[in-house]
Every structure is written in structure tokens, then in C-alpha cells.
């Protein structure tokens, strides 16, 4: 090898090493709050502030992450939507309780991802580049999902939307919710969705002039789920799972979404169209990563503050 080639090779390795150190040591802890405004409430309605939490993948020793999640209570959300994959270690539940009980008294809804049922397993951190992950639930360590649901449901009073529906009145606006269990593992029951939604809508107060706002909630934003939600006239959909791509090209373009969602929808707010209907779609890049792939590049971790406003205000 010529000296010029050796120099170029050494330089390339040096850049790669610097990027790896940055991705592992800095960006995965560069927490931020993304803010969005969605005009779906009745004209003149009081704004509703929704804190979207997703993909904490929390481990007991991640005190910085716990403190940052707790600090989000200062945003004074009116509602928390949690789109799953909270647990990143078999012993993470006390740490999760420490993080989430900062939201005592704040209404919420939640769905699960597979990492709310099974602990992560060692894997090649670049394996995801070959396509959507396929976890082995036969050999994975089972998590205490019952205790997790007791924390979220009994302790915090949040409503499960795992193949379920719910209705809440927040600041005078009726919010209806439909949700699925983790579509990445095929645990969604979209066949049940129309009946559940019909039953929910029967609860609407016929005396009110303001229609309820329908919100879809899922962990993994597979197109079949988004299409089903849009068919059921979701006004806005919340999802996680993608990690925003986690390791992206410079500028933030996702290489893969870990599902069939188009790469340009891997994170952020967009509009999903299906069957002559449209829904706002908010996909969170998530807060954490697997403990076996603790890197992010061009894709910082995030929570999202989505403010619902009257549809007379317009999108901004």
C-alpha cells in the first residue's frame, strides 16, 4: 500500500472512530423537546398540551435519563401519551416509577411495545440495517408486564389502549382514543377496531355541539395500522418504535424505520392519507436505545409536546 493510501485509510478510520465516539457518548444523551401544533379541536377550544413519551428503554443506572424525563413535568402537560418500550432491563421498573411518577395527577394513555414484555437481548448493533428486527420471544427473558401495568394504570391512573379504546374530557374537549398492542410482533387486533370504535362513539353526548376528537395510539407505525386508524377517522395518530432511524445519514435522513413506514416519516409530524381520509401523524424518535446498541447519529433523543388547538387557528 502506498503512503498516500495508508494516510487516507488512517484518516478514514480516524473519522469513523470520532463519529462512533460522538454517537455513543454524546448524541444519545442530547435530549430535546420537539414542539408541534395540531389544529383538530373545535373552533375556540382551549388548547390541550400533550406530552408524547416513547421508547425510554430504561435501565436502572440511567440516572441522567430519569432526571430528564422527570424534568418534563415542568412543561405542565394536560395529558401524557406513552407509546411503549419503556423497559430496557429486567430490573428497570423502580427506575421507571421514579421517572414517571413526576406526572402524578396528569391524565394519560399508553400502549405497549415488545420491550414492555421481553428484555432486550445481545445483538449486532448494525443488524437493523438489513431490515426490521425479529426478536426471539421464545428465549428472551420475560418482564413483569403486570407490574408495569399496575404502575401505569393503577398508580398513575393512565388508560391502557392495547387493542382497546377510551374517552377522556380534557379542558372541555372530548378526546376519544383507539389503540393497538405492538404491531411489530403482530399483536395488533385491527379486526376488533371497528366494533370498539362504534361502541365508543355511542358514548358521545348528543347534546354537545362540538364533535369528539379521535386519537390513534400505537407503538409501531405499520401502514396497516395507520390505514385502519385513518379509516376510523382519526384526527391525529401517535407512534414510536422507529427511533427516528437512530443512526441516520448526515442531515437526519433515516436509513431504515424498522417497519414498513416510509423513511421520510421516521420521525416528526406529517399527514397520513388513506381511502380519501387524512390524519395527522406524529412519530417520535424516542428517548432511549437498546442497552446493546447505545448509539445515535444525526437523530437526537426526544420527547414531543403536541399542542392541540382549534381548527379555526390553522396549522403552524
Amino acid at each position: 500500500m502506498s503512503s498516500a493510501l495508508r494516510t487516507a485509510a488512517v484518516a478514514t478510520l480516524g473519522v469513523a472512530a470520532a463519529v462512533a465516539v460522538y454517537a455513543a457518548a454524546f448524541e444519545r444523551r442530547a435530549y430535546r423537546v420537539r414542539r408541534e401544533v395540531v389544529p383538530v379541536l373545535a373552533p375556540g377550544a382551549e388548547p390541550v398540551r400533550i406530552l408524547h413519551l416513547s421508547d425510554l428503554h430504561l435501565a436502572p443506572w440511567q440516572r441522567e435519563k430519569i432526571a430528564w424525563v422527570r424534568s418534563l413535568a415542568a412543561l405542565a402537560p394536560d395529558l401524557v401519551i406513552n407509546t411503549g418500550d419503556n423497559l430496557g432491563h429486567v430490573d428497570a421498573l423502580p427506575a421507571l416509577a421514579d421517572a414517571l411518577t413526576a406526572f402524578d395527577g396528569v391524565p394519560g394513555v399508553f400502549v405497549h411495545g415488545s420491550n414492555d414484555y421481553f428484555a432486550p437481548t445481545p445483538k449486532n448493533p448494525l443488524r437493523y440495517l438489513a431490515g426490521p428486527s425479529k426478536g426471539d420471544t421464545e428465549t428472551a427473558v420475560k418482564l413483569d408486564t403486570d407490574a408495569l401495568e399496575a404502575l401505569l394504570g393503577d398508580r398513575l391512573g393512565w388508560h391502557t389502549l392495547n387493542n382497546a379504546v377510551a374517552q377522556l374530557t380534557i379542558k372541555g374537549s372530548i378526546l376519544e382514543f383507539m389503540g393497538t398492542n405492538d404491531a411489530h410482533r403482530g399483536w395488533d387486533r385491527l379486526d376488533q377496531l371497528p366494533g370498539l370504535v362504534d361502541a365508543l362513539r355511542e358514548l358521545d353526548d348528543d347534546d354537545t355541539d362540538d364533535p369528539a376528537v379521535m386519537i390513534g395510539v400505537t407503538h409501531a407505525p405499520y401502514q396497516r395500522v395507520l390505514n385502519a386508524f385513518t379509516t376510523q377517522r382519526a384526527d391525529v395518530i401517535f407512534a414510536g418504535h422507529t427511533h427516528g432511524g437512530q443512526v441516520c445519514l448526515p442531515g437526519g435522513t433515516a436509513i431504515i424505520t424498522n417497519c414498513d413506514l416510509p423513511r421520510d416519516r421516521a420521525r416528526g409530524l406529517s399527514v397520513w392519507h388513506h381511502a380519501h381520509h387524512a390524519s395527522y401523524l406524529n412519530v417520535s424518535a424516542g428517548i432511549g436505545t437498546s442497552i446493546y446498541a447505545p448509539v445515535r447519529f444525526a437523530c437526537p433523543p426526544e420527547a414531543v409536546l403536541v399542542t392541540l388547538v382549534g381548527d379555526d387557528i390553522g396549522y403552524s
Side-chain angles (χ1 to χ4, degrees):
M1 179 184 292
S2 69
S3 60
L5 286 176
R6 280 196 299 271
T7 300
V10 169
T12 299
L13 289 174
V15 170
V19 169
V21 169
Y22 169 78
F26 297 102
E27 185 159 344
R28 69 184 176 90
R29 295 200 294 267
Y31 304 112
R32 68 172 190 174
V33 176
R34 173 165 56 87
R35 298 169 187 264
E36 305 287 358
V37 176
V38 179
V40 293
L41 300 182
E46 190 173 357
V48 174
R49 294 159 60 86
I50 298 176
L51 180 63
H52 182 190
L53 302 177
S54 196
D55 298 275
L56 274 73
H57 293 282
L58 191 61
W61 58 83
Q62 294 173 335
R63 305 307 306 178
E64 182 181 6
K65 185 190 296 184
I66 294 167
W68 185 76
V69 172
R70 289 187 60 84
S71 75
L72 296 174
L75 296 173
D78 303 306
L79 174 74
V80 176
I81 293 181
N82 182 309
T83 50
D85 272 6
N86 291 281
L87 303 175
H89 188 276
V90 69
D91 297 321
L93 196 63
L96 183 67
D98 188 6
L100 294 185
T101 50
F103 302 98
D104 269 343
V106 180
V109 297
F110 66 92
V111 294
H112 290 327
S114 62
N115 284 133
D116 296 313
Y117 296 97
F118 298 98
T121 55
K123 63 188 71 174
N124 181 343
L126 297 180
R127 170 65 182 81
Y128 79 98
L129 293 174
S133 60
K134 301 183 186 300
D136 185 1
T137 56
E138 295 291 329
T139 59
V141 175
K142 183 75 171 68
L143 298 174
D144 192 346
T145 306
D146 289 342
L148 171 63
E149 292 185 346
L151 167 64
L152 299 178
D154 299 336
R155 173 68 176 79
L156 292 172
W158 295 355
H159 296 264
T160 178
L161 296 176
N162 289 298
N163 297 322
V165 296
Q167 184 185 86
L168 294 171
T169 300
I170 306 292
K171 298 173 75 172
S173 292
I174 299 173
L175 305 182
E176 296 179 336
F177 300 89
M178 54 184 170
T180 74
N181 208 329
D182 186 14
H184 189 59
R185 299 299 179 206
W187 298 334
D188 52 308
R189 290 298 307 274
L190 298 179
D191 58 310
Q192 298 177 354
L193 191 62
L196 291 170
V197 171
D198 286 346
L200 179 64
R201 284 173 172 155
E202 289 178 1
L203 300 176
D204 290 350
D205 184 353
D206 293 334
D207 295 331
T208 183
D209 293 328
D210 297 333
V213 172
M214 176 60 78
I215 298 175
V217 182
T218 190
H219 174 65
Y222 278 83
Q223 292 190 39
R224 67 178 186 272
V225 177
L226 304 182
N227 291 343
F229 282 169
T230 303
T231 298
Q232 293 299 321
R233 305 297 183 93
D235 294 290
V236 57
I237 301 169
F238 290 81
H241 175 70
T242 66
H243 294 193
Q246 189 168 325
V247 177
C248 296
L249 298 174
T253 300
I255 300 171
I256 196 168
T257 63
N258 203 21
C259 62
D260 65 357
L261 187 71
R263 291 185 298 121
D264 62 350
R265 308 291 187 94
R267 60 175 168 170
L269 183 70
S270 63
V271 177
W272 187 262
H273 296 271
H274 178 69
H276 307 294
H277 303 301
S279 306
Y280 288 100
L281 171 63
N282 184 66
V283 179
S284 172
I287 295 172
T289 68
S290 168
I291 58 175
Y292 298 111
V295 296
R296 281 181 178 266
F297 183 75
C299 185
E302 67 176 13
V304 192
L305 186 67
V306 178
T307 302
L308 307 185
V309 299
D311 61 11
D312 56 328
I313 293 178
Y315 178 74
S316 61

